[in-house]
Amino acid sequence: MVKDNRILVIGGGIGGLSAAIGLHQKGFDVDVVELSTDWRVYHVGIIVQANFVRALAALDLGDEAVAAGFPYKGWKFLDMAGEEIAELPGDSTVTAPYPADLGLTRPALHKVLTGKVKALGIPVRLGVTFESIEDRGDGVDVRFTDGTSCRYDLVIGADGAYSRTRNIVFPHAPRPSYTGQGVWRYNVPRPRDLEWFHLYMHDDGHTAGYCPLTQDTMYIMTVTEEPGNPHFPPESLADEMRKRLAGFGGLLGELAKRITEPELVVYRPLEVCMLPSPWYKGRILLIGDAAHSATPHLGQGAAMAIEDSVALADELSRDEAPLADKLARFMTRRFERANLVGQMSIKLGEWQMNPASAEQSQAEVTAQMRAKLLEPI
Ligand SMILES: Cc1cc2nc3c(=O)[nH]c(=O)nc-3n(C[C@H](O)[C@H](O)[C@H](O)COP(=O)(O)OP(=O)(O)OC[C@H]3O[C@@H](n4cnc5c(N)ncnc54)[C@H](O)[C@@H]3O)c2cc1C
């Protein structure tokens, strides 16, 4: 049996499920609790890149991930009239035989991860969370909301940006804070010849674009400055999104006219919460958005959560070192990389809101980060 074998994962999202899969594959005995009772995710798209595909392949999920998404060819940057400024083709050197870039719906990714968890027989209790967590030094005693209790060698908080586990371990950590921007998304049918993620740059700094998600669907998105973090009446959302796409030409100008159903618009204010190192105390560790939730400007949140899981499973199973040493090694592998992604994402948002302060274009930063993230984790 591997050392420090009993592990609890709090949260059955992208980070929690990938951690449960990776740890189970290395021989750990993993329990998962997930607060939501129906375990459904909302129907929007995410864009992911080579390091996401590589991390899922490391969990033996490469075939399923690629089959669930649309392998788009890379990122094209355009001016607001729709003229191309730069092109960043996907680089599959670290993903071959798989493609580098994927568009996915969240439910499709969730199905890939939950399918594997079920196939491996990892126990997941839905509608359950912790009542209390006590780190006793030689183990962590957890009482659950279903009345049960159990002792674990390690507890992993993968409970997202509003992590309750974080509140327990780091009560003085910063809370998620609004960045001043929001993101608007809307799904439409994919034109047959659309194979790239297109990102248009407005002269005022805000961006908008579209990306294929499946053979049949794509999504339109725009990231805009929203002073004061306003609430929009649900019935106004289609009008509000179209307003923010006014002024864009090219295909985007045409696609904007198709945004007509307010209930199909998904609007989210952008919030960030980046923890300093370390993300653990004693036998309780945070991963994914619980430790580093940034903005989606680089399309890297899901990849960072899954990379956390792959690196953690590696470090915990590598040797017989004390748990504290393994967690310290995990931080060495993860902090700088996840922090760089977070800080650059936040900076891109700040530069969009204040273009005069921009030190680099979004295309330049994206090119540098895409190359950097091909480095081994
Ligand atoms: C608007 C927006 C757009 C984004 N677009 C992209 C993109 O294009 N590409 C990309 O890679 N990333 C994107 N991201 C980021 C990505 O969604 C996150 O980084 C990723 O979901 C993090 O996974 P996670 O498992 O850490 O957290 P989550 O996905 O939030 O999962 C947390 C899970 O924990 C559960 N939970 C919460 N509290 C408890 C509790 N107390 N007990 C038990 N369970 C609990 C929740 O129900 C949930 O299932 C985007 C994020 C936002 C907000």
Side-chain angles (χ1 to χ4, degrees), residues 161-162 175-183 229 268-274 289 292-297 346:
Y162 277 85
R175 297 285 185 267
S177 65
Y178 178 55
T179 67
Q181 288 187 304
V183 58
N229 198 3
R268 278 282 297 270
L270 297 185
E271 295 179 325
V272 294
C273 184
M274 299 289 298
D289 275 13
H292 46 79
S293 76
T295 60
H297 291 81
I346 293 166

mmCIF file with all atom_site columns, all heavy atoms in Angstrom, residues 161-162 175-183 229 268-274 289 292-297 346:
data_model
loop_
_atom_site.group_PDB
_atom_site.id
_atom_site.type_symbol
_atom_site.label_atom_id
_atom_site.label_alt_id
_atom_site.label_comp_id
_atom_site.label_asym_id
_atom_site.label_entity_id
_atom_site.label_seq_id
_atom_site.pdbx_PDB_ins_code
_atom_site.Cartn_x
_atom_site.Cartn_y
_atom_site.Cartn_z
_atom_site.occupancy
_atom_site.B_iso_or_equiv
_atom_site.pdbx_formal_charge
_atom_site.auth_seq_id
_atom_site.auth_comp_id
_atom_site.auth_asym_id
_atom_site.auth_atom_id
_atom_site.pdbx_PDB_model_num
ATOM 1   N N   . ALA A 1 161 ? -13.244 28.797 -6.642  1.00 0.00 ? 161 ALA A N   1
ATOM 2   C CA  . ALA A 1 161 ? -12.809 30.141 -6.277  1.00 0.00 ? 161 ALA A CA  1
ATOM 3   C C   . ALA A 1 161 ? -13.337 30.589 -4.914  1.00 0.00 ? 161 ALA A C   1
ATOM 4   O O   . ALA A 1 161 ? -12.691 31.365 -4.208  1.00 0.00 ? 161 ALA A O   1
ATOM 5   C CB  . ALA A 1 161 ? -13.256 31.118 -7.361  1.00 0.00 ? 161 ALA A CB  1
ATOM 6   N N   . TYR A 1 162 ? -14.521 30.113 -4.544  1.00 0.00 ? 162 TYR A N   1
ATOM 7   C CA  . TYR A 1 162 ? -15.098 30.488 -3.245  1.00 0.00 ? 162 TYR A CA  1
ATOM 8   C C   . TYR A 1 162 ? -14.869 29.392 -2.201  1.00 0.00 ? 162 TYR A C   1
ATOM 9   O O   . TYR A 1 162 ? -15.704 29.146 -1.337  1.00 0.00 ? 162 TYR A O   1
ATOM 10  C CB  . TYR A 1 162 ? -16.586 30.830 -3.396  1.00 0.00 ? 162 TYR A CB  1
ATOM 11  C CG  . TYR A 1 162 ? -16.743 32.263 -3.868  1.00 0.00 ? 162 TYR A CG  1
ATOM 12  C CD1 . TYR A 1 162 ? -16.690 32.578 -5.218  1.00 0.00 ? 162 TYR A CD1 1
ATOM 13  C CD2 . TYR A 1 162 ? -16.862 33.299 -2.961  1.00 0.00 ? 162 TYR A CD2 1
ATOM 14  C CE1 . TYR A 1 162 ? -16.767 33.891 -5.657  1.00 0.00 ? 162 TYR A CE1 1
ATOM 15  C CE2 . TYR A 1 162 ? -16.944 34.614 -3.371  1.00 0.00 ? 162 TYR A CE2 1
ATOM 16  C CZ  . TYR A 1 162 ? -16.900 34.905 -4.717  1.00 0.00 ? 162 TYR A CZ  1
ATOM 17  O OH  . TYR A 1 162 ? -16.974 36.215 -5.124  1.00 0.00 ? 162 TYR A OH  1
ATOM 18  N N   . ARG A 1 175 ? -10.142 37.296 -0.371  1.00 0.00 ? 175 ARG A N   1
ATOM 19  C CA  . ARG A 1 175 ? -11.348 36.729 -0.986  1.00 0.00 ? 175 ARG A CA  1
ATOM 20  C C   . ARG A 1 175 ? -11.326 37.098 -2.470  1.00 0.00 ? 175 ARG A C   1
ATOM 21  O O   . ARG A 1 175 ? -10.632 38.045 -2.859  1.00 0.00 ? 175 ARG A O   1
ATOM 22  C CB  . ARG A 1 175 ? -12.608 37.328 -0.342  1.00 0.00 ? 175 ARG A CB  1
ATOM 23  C CG  . ARG A 1 175 ? -12.748 37.015 1.134   1.00 0.00 ? 175 ARG A CG  1
ATOM 24  C CD  . ARG A 1 175 ? -13.182 35.561 1.323   1.00 0.00 ? 175 ARG A CD  1
ATOM 25  N NE  . ARG A 1 175 ? -13.443 35.247 2.721   1.00 0.00 ? 175 ARG A NE  1
ATOM 26  C CZ  . ARG A 1 175 ? -12.556 34.728 3.575   1.00 0.00 ? 175 ARG A CZ  1
ATOM 27  N NH1 . ARG A 1 175 ? -11.311 34.503 3.199   1.00 0.00 ? 175 ARG A NH1 1
ATOM 28  N NH2 . ARG A 1 175 ? -12.904 34.425 4.811   1.00 0.00 ? 175 ARG A NH2 1
ATOM 29  N N   . PRO A 1 176 ? -12.106 36.397 -3.329  1.00 0.00 ? 176 PRO A N   1
ATOM 30  C CA  . PRO A 1 176 ? -12.157 36.780 -4.745  1.00 0.00 ? 176 PRO A CA  1
ATOM 31  C C   . PRO A 1 176 ? -12.574 38.237 -4.899  1.00 0.00 ? 176 PRO A C   1
ATOM 32  O O   . PRO A 1 176 ? -13.483 38.701 -4.200  1.00 0.00 ? 176 PRO A O   1
ATOM 33  C CB  . PRO A 1 176 ? -13.224 35.841 -5.316  1.00 0.00 ? 176 PRO A CB  1
ATOM 34  C CG  . PRO A 1 176 ? -13.213 34.657 -4.404  1.00 0.00 ? 176 PRO A CG  1
ATOM 35  C CD  . PRO A 1 176 ? -12.925 35.213 -3.036  1.00 0.00 ? 176 PRO A CD  1
ATOM 36  N N   . SER A 1 177 ? -11.867 38.961 -5.763  1.00 0.00 ? 177 SER A N   1
ATOM 37  C CA  . SER A 1 177 ? -12.222 40.368 -5.947  1.00 0.00 ? 177 SER A CA  1
ATOM 38  C C   . SER A 1 177 ? -12.494 40.664 -7.425  1.00 0.00 ? 177 SER A C   1
ATOM 39  O O   . SER A 1 177 ? -11.859 40.081 -8.316  1.00 0.00 ? 177 SER A O   1
ATOM 40  C CB  . SER A 1 177 ? -11.113 41.277 -5.406  1.00 0.00 ? 177 SER A CB  1
ATOM 41  O OG  . SER A 1 177 ? -9.951  41.098 -6.178  1.00 0.00 ? 177 SER A OG  1
ATOM 42  N N   . TYR A 1 178 ? -13.434 41.562 -7.637  1.00 0.00 ? 178 TYR A N   1
ATOM 43  C CA  . TYR A 1 178 ? -13.881 41.925 -8.987  1.00 0.00 ? 178 TYR A CA  1
ATOM 44  C C   . TYR A 1 178 ? -12.783 42.719 -9.692  1.00 0.00 ? 178 TYR A C   1
ATOM 45  O O   . TYR A 1 178 ? -12.206 43.646 -9.114  1.00 0.00 ? 178 TYR A O   1
ATOM 46  C CB  . TYR A 1 178 ? -15.155 42.763 -8.853  1.00 0.00 ? 178 TYR A CB  1
ATOM 47  C CG  . TYR A 1 178 ? -15.723 43.274 -10.158 1.00 0.00 ? 178 TYR A CG  1
ATOM 48  C CD1 . TYR A 1 178 ? -16.031 42.384 -11.188 1.00 0.00 ? 178 TYR A CD1 1
ATOM 49  C CD2 . TYR A 1 178 ? -15.963 44.621 -10.367 1.00 0.00 ? 178 TYR A CD2 1
ATOM 50  C CE1 . TYR A 1 178 ? -16.553 42.840 -12.388 1.00 0.00 ? 178 TYR A CE1 1
ATOM 51  C CE2 . TYR A 1 178 ? -16.498 45.086 -11.558 1.00 0.00 ? 178 TYR A CE2 1
ATOM 52  C CZ  . TYR A 1 178 ? -16.778 44.189 -12.572 1.00 0.00 ? 178 TYR A CZ  1
ATOM 53  O OH  . TYR A 1 178 ? -17.291 44.636 -13.755 1.00 0.00 ? 178 TYR A OH  1
ATOM 54  N N   . THR A 1 179 ? -12.516 42.359 -10.972 1.00 0.00 ? 179 THR A N   1
ATOM 55  C CA  . THR A 1 179 ? -11.414 43.026 -11.686 1.00 0.00 ? 179 THR A CA  1
ATOM 56  C C   . THR A 1 179 ? -11.852 44.279 -12.441 1.00 0.00 ? 179 THR A C   1
ATOM 57  O O   . THR A 1 179 ? -11.010 45.016 -12.930 1.00 0.00 ? 179 THR A O   1
ATOM 58  C CB  . THR A 1 179 ? -10.794 42.083 -12.737 1.00 0.00 ? 179 THR A CB  1
ATOM 59  O OG1 . THR A 1 179 ? -11.780 41.849 -13.760 1.00 0.00 ? 179 THR A OG1 1
ATOM 60  C CG2 . THR A 1 179 ? -10.323 40.773 -12.140 1.00 0.00 ? 179 THR A CG2 1
ATOM 61  N N   . GLY A 1 180 ? -13.171 44.456 -12.610 1.00 0.00 ? 180 GLY A N   1
ATOM 62  C CA  . GLY A 1 180 ? -13.645 45.589 -13.416 1.00 0.00 ? 180 GLY A CA  1
ATOM 63  C C   . GLY A 1 180 ? -14.136 45.159 -14.792 1.00 0.00 ? 180 GLY A C   1
ATOM 64  O O   . GLY A 1 180 ? -14.670 45.968 -15.541 1.00 0.00 ? 180 GLY A O   1
ATOM 65  N N   . GLN A 1 181 ? -13.945 43.857 -15.125 1.00 0.00 ? 181 GLN A N   1
ATOM 66  C CA  . GLN A 1 181 ? -14.403 43.361 -16.429 1.00 0.00 ? 181 GLN A CA  1
ATOM 67  C C   . GLN A 1 181 ? -15.425 42.229 -16.255 1.00 0.00 ? 181 GLN A C   1
ATOM 68  O O   . GLN A 1 181 ? -15.477 41.575 -15.208 1.00 0.00 ? 181 GLN A O   1
ATOM 69  C CB  . GLN A 1 181 ? -13.229 42.805 -17.237 1.00 0.00 ? 181 GLN A CB  1
ATOM 70  C CG  . GLN A 1 181 ? -12.279 43.869 -17.762 1.00 0.00 ? 181 GLN A CG  1
ATOM 71  C CD  . GLN A 1 181 ? -11.241 43.260 -18.694 1.00 0.00 ? 181 GLN A CD  1
ATOM 72  O OE1 . GLN A 1 181 ? -10.533 42.343 -18.312 1.00 0.00 ? 181 GLN A OE1 1
ATOM 73  N NE2 . GLN A 1 181 ? -11.162 43.771 -19.916 1.00 0.00 ? 181 GLN A NE2 1
ATOM 74  N N   . GLY A 1 182 ? -16.176 41.997 -17.325 1.00 0.00 ? 182 GLY A N   1
ATOM 75  C CA  . GLY A 1 182 ? -17.095 40.857 -17.359 1.00 0.00 ? 182 GLY A CA  1
ATOM 76  C C   . GLY A 1 182 ? -16.949 40.148 -18.694 1.00 0.00 ? 182 GLY A C   1
ATOM 77  O O   . GLY A 1 182 ? -16.441 40.723 -19.663 1.00 0.00 ? 182 GLY A O   1
ATOM 78  N N   . VAL A 1 183 ? -17.371 38.874 -18.736 1.00 0.00 ? 183 VAL A N   1
ATOM 79  C CA  . VAL A 1 183 ? -17.315 38.140 -20.002 1.00 0.00 ? 183 VAL A CA  1
ATOM 80  C C   . VAL A 1 183 ? -18.722 37.690 -20.392 1.00 0.00 ? 183 VAL A C   1
ATOM 81  O O   . VAL A 1 183 ? -19.499 37.247 -19.552 1.00 0.00 ? 183 VAL A O   1
ATOM 82  C CB  . VAL A 1 183 ? -16.318 36.944 -19.936 1.00 0.00 ? 183 VAL A CB  1
ATOM 83  C CG1 . VAL A 1 183 ? -16.653 35.959 -18.855 1.00 0.00 ? 183 VAL A CG1 1
ATOM 84  C CG2 . VAL A 1 183 ? -16.241 36.222 -21.277 1.00 0.00 ? 183 VAL A CG2 1
ATOM 85  N N   . ASN A 1 229 ? -19.458 46.841 -11.403 1.00 0.00 ? 229 ASN A N   1
ATOM 86  C CA  . ASN A 1 229 ? -19.987 45.474 -11.356 1.00 0.00 ? 229 ASN A CA  1
ATOM 87  C C   . ASN A 1 229 ? -21.519 45.451 -11.401 1.00 0.00 ? 229 ASN A C   1
ATOM 88  O O   . ASN A 1 229 ? -22.193 44.978 -10.476 1.00 0.00 ? 229 ASN A O   1
ATOM 89  C CB  . ASN A 1 229 ? -19.492 44.769 -10.081 1.00 0.00 ? 229 ASN A CB  1
ATOM 90  C CG  . ASN A 1 229 ? -19.633 43.259 -10.169 1.00 0.00 ? 229 ASN A CG  1
ATOM 91  O OD1 . ASN A 1 229 ? -20.047 42.721 -11.204 1.00 0.00 ? 229 ASN A OD1 1
ATOM 92  N ND2 . ASN A 1 229 ? -19.311 42.572 -9.090  1.00 0.00 ? 229 ASN A ND2 1
ATOM 93  N N   . ARG A 1 268 ? -20.697 36.699 -16.963 1.00 0.00 ? 268 ARG A N   1
ATOM 94  C CA  . ARG A 1 268 ? -20.022 36.487 -15.668 1.00 0.00 ? 268 ARG A CA  1
ATOM 95  C C   . ARG A 1 268 ? -19.068 37.634 -15.391 1.00 0.00 ? 268 ARG A C   1
ATOM 96  O O   . ARG A 1 268 ? -18.190 37.931 -16.206 1.00 0.00 ? 268 ARG A O   1
ATOM 97  C CB  . ARG A 1 268 ? -19.167 35.201 -15.719 1.00 0.00 ? 268 ARG A CB  1
ATOM 98  C CG  . ARG A 1 268 ? -19.917 33.907 -15.487 1.00 0.00 ? 268 ARG A CG  1
ATOM 99  C CD  . ARG A 1 268 ? -20.220 33.633 -14.023 1.00 0.00 ? 268 ARG A CD  1
ATOM 100 N NE  . ARG A 1 268 ? -19.042 33.464 -13.184 1.00 0.00 ? 268 ARG A NE  1
ATOM 101 C CZ  . ARG A 1 268 ? -18.454 32.314 -12.950 1.00 0.00 ? 268 ARG A CZ  1
ATOM 102 N NH1 . ARG A 1 268 ? -18.893 31.202 -13.501 1.00 0.00 ? 268 ARG A NH1 1
ATOM 103 N NH2 . ARG A 1 268 ? -17.406 32.247 -12.140 1.00 0.00 ? 268 ARG A NH2 1
ATOM 104 N N   . PRO A 1 269 ? -19.237 38.327 -14.248 1.00 0.00 ? 269 PRO A N   1
ATOM 105 C CA  . PRO A 1 269 ? -18.206 39.297 -13.852 1.00 0.00 ? 269 PRO A CA  1
ATOM 106 C C   . PRO A 1 269 ? -16.904 38.548 -13.572 1.00 0.00 ? 269 PRO A C   1
ATOM 107 O O   . PRO A 1 269 ? -16.947 37.416 -13.083 1.00 0.00 ? 269 PRO A O   1
ATOM 108 C CB  . PRO A 1 269 ? -18.758 39.913 -12.557 1.00 0.00 ? 269 PRO A CB  1
ATOM 109 C CG  . PRO A 1 269 ? -20.047 39.257 -12.266 1.00 0.00 ? 269 PRO A CG  1
ATOM 110 C CD  . PRO A 1 269 ? -20.291 38.156 -13.240 1.00 0.00 ? 269 PRO A CD  1
ATOM 111 N N   . LEU A 1 270 ? -15.769 39.138 -13.880 1.00 0.00 ? 270 LEU A N   1
ATOM 112 C CA  . LEU A 1 270 ? -14.488 38.451 -13.657 1.00 0.00 ? 270 LEU A CA  1
ATOM 113 C C   . LEU A 1 270 ? -13.942 38.776 -12.271 1.00 0.00 ? 270 LEU A C   1
ATOM 114 O O   . LEU A 1 270 ? -13.887 39.946 -11.876 1.00 0.00 ? 270 LEU A O   1
ATOM 115 C CB  . LEU A 1 270 ? -13.473 38.852 -14.731 1.00 0.00 ? 270 LEU A CB  1
ATOM 116 C CG  . LEU A 1 270 ? -13.848 38.458 -16.154 1.00 0.00 ? 270 LEU A CG  1
ATOM 117 C CD1 . LEU A 1 270 ? -12.712 38.800 -17.123 1.00 0.00 ? 270 LEU A CD1 1
ATOM 118 C CD2 . LEU A 1 270 ? -14.166 36.966 -16.254 1.00 0.00 ? 270 LEU A CD2 1
ATOM 119 N N   . GLU A 1 271 ? -13.541 37.721 -11.569 1.00 0.00 ? 271 GLU A N   1
ATOM 120 C CA  . GLU A 1 271 ? -12.988 37.860 -10.219 1.00 0.00 ? 271 GLU A CA  1
ATOM 121 C C   . GLU A 1 271 ? -11.669 37.108 -10.149 1.00 0.00 ? 271 GLU A C   1
ATOM 122 O O   . GLU A 1 271 ? -11.492 36.126 -10.878 1.00 0.00 ? 271 GLU A O   1
ATOM 123 C CB  . GLU A 1 271 ? -13.956 37.263 -9.198  1.00 0.00 ? 271 GLU A CB  1
ATOM 124 C CG  . GLU A 1 271 ? -15.268 38.014 -9.120  1.00 0.00 ? 271 GLU A CG  1
ATOM 125 C CD  . GLU A 1 271 ? -16.224 37.399 -8.131  1.00 0.00 ? 271 GLU A CD  1
ATOM 126 O OE1 . GLU A 1 271 ? -16.223 36.173 -8.001  1.00 0.00 ? 271 GLU A OE1 1
ATOM 127 O OE2 . GLU A 1 271 ? -16.952 38.150 -7.489  1.00 0.00 ? 271 GLU A OE2 1
ATOM 128 N N   . VAL A 1 272 ? -10.806 37.560 -9.268  1.00 0.00 ? 272 VAL A N   1
ATOM 129 C CA  . VAL A 1 272 ? -9.530  36.862 -9.110  1.00 0.00 ? 272 VAL A CA  1
ATOM 130 C C   . VAL A 1 272 ? -9.240  36.619 -7.631  1.00 0.00 ? 272 VAL A C   1
ATOM 131 O O   . VAL A 1 272 ? -9.674  37.383 -6.764  1.00 0.00 ? 272 VAL A O   1
ATOM 132 C CB  . VAL A 1 272 ? -8.346  37.658 -9.714  1.00 0.00 ? 272 VAL A CB  1
ATOM 133 C CG1 . VAL A 1 272 ? -8.484  37.769 -11.220 1.00 0.00 ? 272 VAL A CG1 1
ATOM 134 C CG2 . VAL A 1 272 ? -8.194  39.020 -9.088  1.00 0.00 ? 272 VAL A CG2 1
ATOM 135 N N   . CYS A 1 273 ? -8.505  35.540 -7.388  1.00 0.00 ? 273 CYS A N   1
ATOM 136 C CA  . CYS A 1 273 ? -8.052  35.241 -6.023  1.00 0.00 ? 273 CYS A CA  1
ATOM 137 C C   . CYS A 1 273 ? -6.789  34.384 -6.140  1.00 0.00 ? 273 CYS A C   1
ATOM 138 O O   . CYS A 1 273 ? -6.860  33.200 -6.441  1.00 0.00 ? 273 CYS A O   1
ATOM 139 C CB  . CYS A 1 273 ? -9.140  34.498 -5.252  1.00 0.00 ? 273 CYS A CB  1
ATOM 140 S SG  . CYS A 1 273 ? -8.689  34.219 -3.540  1.00 0.00 ? 273 CYS A SG  1
ATOM 141 N N   . MET A 1 274 ? -5.654  35.017 -5.986  1.00 0.00 ? 274 MET A N   1
ATOM 142 C CA  . MET A 1 274 ? -4.375  34.312 -6.150  1.00 0.00 ? 274 MET A CA  1
ATOM 143 C C   . MET A 1 274 ? -3.704  34.184 -4.789  1.00 0.00 ? 274 MET A C   1
ATOM 144 O O   . MET A 1 274 ? -3.423  35.199 -4.138  1.00 0.00 ? 274 MET A O   1
ATOM 145 C CB  . MET A 1 274 ? -3.465  35.110 -7.090  1.00 0.00 ? 274 MET A CB  1
ATOM 146 C CG  . MET A 1 274 ? -4.009  35.304 -8.498  1.00 0.00 ? 274 MET A CG  1
ATOM 147 S SD  . MET A 1 274 ? -4.008  33.797 -9.485  1.00 0.00 ? 274 MET A SD  1
ATOM 148 C CE  . MET A 1 274 ? -2.275  33.409 -9.556  1.00 0.00 ? 274 MET A CE  1
ATOM 149 N N   . ASP A 1 289 ? -8.808  26.390 -8.770  1.00 0.00 ? 289 ASP A N   1
ATOM 150 C CA  . ASP A 1 289 ? -9.264  27.754 -8.484  1.00 0.00 ? 289 ASP A CA  1
ATOM 151 C C   . ASP A 1 289 ? -9.243  28.086 -7.000  1.00 0.00 ? 289 ASP A C   1
ATOM 152 O O   . ASP A 1 289 ? -9.209  29.265 -6.630  1.00 0.00 ? 289 ASP A O   1
ATOM 153 C CB  . ASP A 1 289 ? -10.685 27.961 -9.031  1.00 0.00 ? 289 ASP A CB  1
ATOM 154 C CG  . ASP A 1 289 ? -10.683 28.353 -10.503 1.00 0.00 ? 289 ASP A CG  1
ATOM 155 O OD1 . ASP A 1 289 ? -9.617  28.229 -11.150 1.00 0.00 ? 289 ASP A OD1 1
ATOM 156 O OD2 . ASP A 1 289 ? -11.747 28.766 -11.012 1.00 0.00 ? 289 ASP A OD2 1
ATOM 157 N N   . HIS A 1 292 ? -5.682  29.382 -7.005  1.00 0.00 ? 292 HIS A N   1
ATOM 158 C CA  . HIS A 1 292 ? -5.240  30.366 -8.017  1.00 0.00 ? 292 HIS A CA  1
ATOM 159 C C   . HIS A 1 292 ? -6.343  30.583 -9.047  1.00 0.00 ? 292 HIS A C   1
ATOM 160 O O   . HIS A 1 292 ? -6.315  29.998 -10.123 1.00 0.00 ? 292 HIS A O   1
ATOM 161 C CB  . HIS A 1 292 ? -3.944  29.907 -8.703  1.00 0.00 ? 292 HIS A CB  1
ATOM 162 C CG  . HIS A 1 292 ? -3.949  28.453 -9.132  1.00 0.00 ? 292 HIS A CG  1
ATOM 163 N ND1 . HIS A 1 292 ? -4.583  28.003 -10.261 1.00 0.00 ? 292 HIS A ND1 1
ATOM 164 C CD2 . HIS A 1 292 ? -3.403  27.352 -8.567  1.00 0.00 ? 292 HIS A CD2 1
ATOM 165 C CE1 . HIS A 1 292 ? -4.421  26.708 -10.378 1.00 0.00 ? 292 HIS A CE1 1
ATOM 166 N NE2 . HIS A 1 292 ? -3.710  26.280 -9.357  1.00 0.00 ? 292 HIS A NE2 1
ATOM 167 N N   . SER A 1 293 ? -7.331  31.380 -8.710  1.00 0.00 ? 293 SER A N   1
ATOM 168 C CA  . SER A 1 293 ? -8.357  31.649 -9.730  1.00 0.00 ? 293 SER A CA  1
ATOM 169 C C   . SER A 1 293 ? -8.047  32.998 -10.362 1.00 0.00 ? 293 SER A C   1
ATOM 170 O O   . SER A 1 293 ? -7.983  34.017 -9.683  1.00 0.00 ? 293 SER A O   1
ATOM 171 C CB  . SER A 1 293 ? -9.761  31.580 -9.133  1.00 0.00 ? 293 SER A CB  1
ATOM 172 O OG  . SER A 1 293 ? -10.049 32.702 -8.393  1.00 0.00 ? 293 SER A OG  1
ATOM 173 N N   . ALA A 1 294 ? -7.808  32.952 -11.669 1.00 0.00 ? 294 ALA A N   1
ATOM 174 C CA  . ALA A 1 294 ? -7.454  34.174 -12.403 1.00 0.00 ? 294 ALA A CA  1
ATOM 175 C C   . ALA A 1 294 ? -8.554  34.479 -13.414 1.00 0.00 ? 294 ALA A C   1
ATOM 176 O O   . ALA A 1 294 ? -9.647  33.907 -13.345 1.00 0.00 ? 294 ALA A O   1
ATOM 177 C CB  . ALA A 1 294 ? -6.105  33.976 -13.082 1.00 0.00 ? 294 ALA A CB  1
ATOM 178 N N   . THR A 1 295 ? -8.269  35.350 -14.340 1.00 0.00 ? 295 THR A N   1
ATOM 179 C CA  . THR A 1 295 ? -9.253  35.685 -15.376 1.00 0.00 ? 295 THR A CA  1
ATOM 180 C C   . THR A 1 295 ? -9.028  34.757 -16.578 1.00 0.00 ? 295 THR A C   1
ATOM 181 O O   . THR A 1 295 ? -7.963  34.159 -16.709 1.00 0.00 ? 295 THR A O   1
ATOM 182 C CB  . THR A 1 295 ? -9.081  37.148 -15.815 1.00 0.00 ? 295 THR A CB  1
ATOM 183 O OG1 . THR A 1 295 ? -7.753  37.305 -16.342 1.00 0.00 ? 295 THR A OG1 1
ATOM 184 C CG2 . THR A 1 295 ? -9.294  38.096 -14.647 1.00 0.00 ? 295 THR A CG2 1
ATOM 185 N N   . PRO A 1 296 ? -10.015 34.657 -17.483 1.00 0.00 ? 296 PRO A N   1
ATOM 186 C CA  . PRO A 1 296 ? -9.863  33.692 -18.588 1.00 0.00 ? 296 PRO A CA  1
ATOM 187 C C   . PRO A 1 296 ? -9.114  34.243 -19.805 1.00 0.00 ? 296 PRO A C   1
ATOM 188 O O   . PRO A 1 296 ? -9.184  33.637 -20.878 1.00 0.00 ? 296 PRO A O   1
ATOM 189 C CB  . PRO A 1 296 ? -11.322 33.371 -18.948 1.00 0.00 ? 296 PRO A CB  1
ATOM 190 C CG  . PRO A 1 296 ? -12.101 34.559 -18.536 1.00 0.00 ? 296 PRO A CG  1
ATOM 191 C CD  . PRO A 1 296 ? -11.377 35.202 -17.398 1.00 0.00 ? 296 PRO A CD  1
ATOM 192 N N   . HIS A 1 297 ? -8.356  35.339 -19.663 1.00 0.00 ? 297 HIS A N   1
ATOM 193 C CA  . HIS A 1 297 ? -7.734  35.971 -20.838 1.00 0.00 ? 297 HIS A CA  1
ATOM 194 C C   . HIS A 1 297 ? -6.764  35.050 -21.578 1.00 0.00 ? 297 HIS A C   1
ATOM 195 O O   . HIS A 1 297 ? -6.538  35.229 -22.767 1.00 0.00 ? 297 HIS A O   1
ATOM 196 C CB  . HIS A 1 297 ? -6.992  37.251 -20.424 1.00 0.00 ? 297 HIS A CB  1
ATOM 197 C CG  . HIS A 1 297 ? -7.921  38.341 -19.992 1.00 0.00 ? 297 HIS A CG  1
ATOM 198 N ND1 . HIS A 1 297 ? -8.458  38.391 -18.728 1.00 0.00 ? 297 HIS A ND1 1
ATOM 199 C CD2 . HIS A 1 297 ? -8.407  39.405 -20.660 1.00 0.00 ? 297 HIS A CD2 1
ATOM 200 C CE1 . HIS A 1 297 ? -9.240  39.458 -18.637 1.00 0.00 ? 297 HIS A CE1 1
ATOM 201 N NE2 . HIS A 1 297 ? -9.228  40.091 -19.795 1.00 0.00 ? 297 HIS A NE2 1
ATOM 202 N N   . ILE A 1 346 ? -4.281  38.594 -15.397 1.00 0.00 ? 346 ILE A N   1
ATOM 203 C CA  . ILE A 1 346 ? -4.797  39.796 -14.716 1.00 0.00 ? 346 ILE A CA  1
ATOM 204 C C   . ILE A 1 346 ? -4.261  41.045 -15.419 1.00 0.00 ? 346 ILE A C   1
ATOM 205 O O   . ILE A 1 346 ? -4.992  42.013 -15.667 1.00 0.00 ? 346 ILE A O   1
ATOM 206 C CB  . ILE A 1 346 ? -4.394  39.755 -13.224 1.00 0.00 ? 346 ILE A CB  1
ATOM 207 C CG1 . ILE A 1 346 ? -5.133  38.611 -12.515 1.00 0.00 ? 346 ILE A CG1 1
ATOM 208 C CG2 . ILE A 1 346 ? -4.683  41.093 -12.537 1.00 0.00 ? 346 ILE A CG2 1
ATOM 209 C CD1 . ILE A 1 346 ? -4.576  38.247 -11.144 1.00 0.00 ? 346 ILE A CD1 1
#
